[in-house]
Amino acid sequence: MARPAEAHPAGHSAHSAGAGWLRPAVFGAMDGLVSNVALISGFAGGAAGRPAVILAGLAGLASGAFSMATGEYTSVRSQNEAMRAQIEVERRELELYPQAEAAELAAYFQGQGVDAQTAASVARQLGKRPDSALRAHVGTELGLNLDELPSPIGAAGASFCAFAVGAVIPVAPYLLGFSSFGLAAMLAGLALFLLGAVVSRFTERSFAYSGARQLLLGLVAASATYGIGVLVNASMG
């Protein structure tokens, strides 16, 4: 069976693997922060009072977090189902065509630098243990580990929490009794810069460049909704 093109991403490295949990957490928090600061900006532009801003901010936090969690759960669950279907295909092929599968596995080992005799011997030994043979084929052909399929519930929970952490930042000053949008905007701006700077861990960009870029994008989003709030307030006033 031919190896799928997506089995082993070319850029995979220990660095990317070690940051596997950090990347979705950072981008989830970024989503929550940008969406909620933009939402609150619209209410501030419309001259809404503190209670209305708090209600909008908490509603945006809850709706966005649940939406992110639901989407992540569905995505990971569907991905797992697709992976299990591929694993079952490999299991059936091992049962129906054991010699061809052993030859395929031996060829893989040879491609990794193992001499032909040793590769064939290892493939034959693995073939005597169906579970070991399945793990080897799934690992080499699909790039999967049978023991490490992601948890849909875990992914949903992490997505929910990451989004909520980001979304609570711009509404925090209002929850603490302040009514100044300026304070909320400054806090959100600082968080945007810091989260953007963390993104530099996954790119070749500098700390300052990534932080400034994310701050600028957040400013554009917040300015747009603030302007909409001003226009709506003026038209209704």
Side-chain angles (χ1 to χ4, degrees), residues 123-222:
R124 282 196 305 271
Q125 291 180 49
L126 286 172
K128 296 176 182 179
R129 303 177 61 183
D131 287 345
S132 297
L134 179 62
R135 288 176 183 277
H137 280 278
V138 166
T140 59
E141 295 184 24
L142 305 179
L144 302 178
N145 187 324
L146 295 180
D147 299 321
E148 295 183 0
L149 294 183
S151 165
I153 295 177
S159 181
F160 182 97
C161 292
F163 186 96
V165 167
V168 79
I169 292 174
V171 76
Y174 292 93
L175 292 172
L176 294 175
F178 297 96
S179 298
S180 170
F181 173 68
L183 180 60
M186 286 190 292
L187 183 61
L190 176 61
L192 279 168
F193 181 87
L194 291 176
L195 284 173
V198 173
V199 172
S200 66
R201 175 183 174 89
F202 316 123
T203 68
E204 298 300 322
R205 297 294 186 179
S206 69
F207 181 97
Y209 177 88
S210 295
R213 179 177 60 181
Q214 192 57 46
L215 177 59
L216 177 61
L217 293 173
L219 178 62
V220 170

Side-chain angles (χ1 to χ4, degrees), residues 6-83:
E6 69 275 16
H8 292 287
H12 183 72
S13 66
H15 173 79
S16 63
W21 65 269
L22 183 59
R23 185 192 303 266
V26 169
F27 284 101
M30 191 95 71
D31 284 344
L33 177 56
V34 172
S35 64
N36 231 24
V37 73
L39 177 61
I40 289 175
S41 296
F43 276 75
R50 177 170 166 266
V53 174
I54 290 177
L55 176 60
L58 294 181
L61 184 157
S63 62
F66 278 112
S67 176
M68 290 284 288
T70 300
E72 192 69 12
Y73 177 87
T74 302
S75 174
V76 173
R77 187 177 179 86
S78 298
Q79 182 182 30
N80 282 355
E81 290 171 350
M83 289 178 179

Side-chain angles (χ1 to χ4, degrees), residues 78-95:
S78 298
Q79 182 182 30
N80 282 355
E81 290 171 350
M83 289 178 179
R84 290 191 180 99
Q86 291 179 303
I87 291 170
E88 286 306 310
V89 170
E90 288 297 326
R91 192 190 305 276
R92 288 196 298 272
E93 289 185 347
L94 281 168
E95 293 174 353

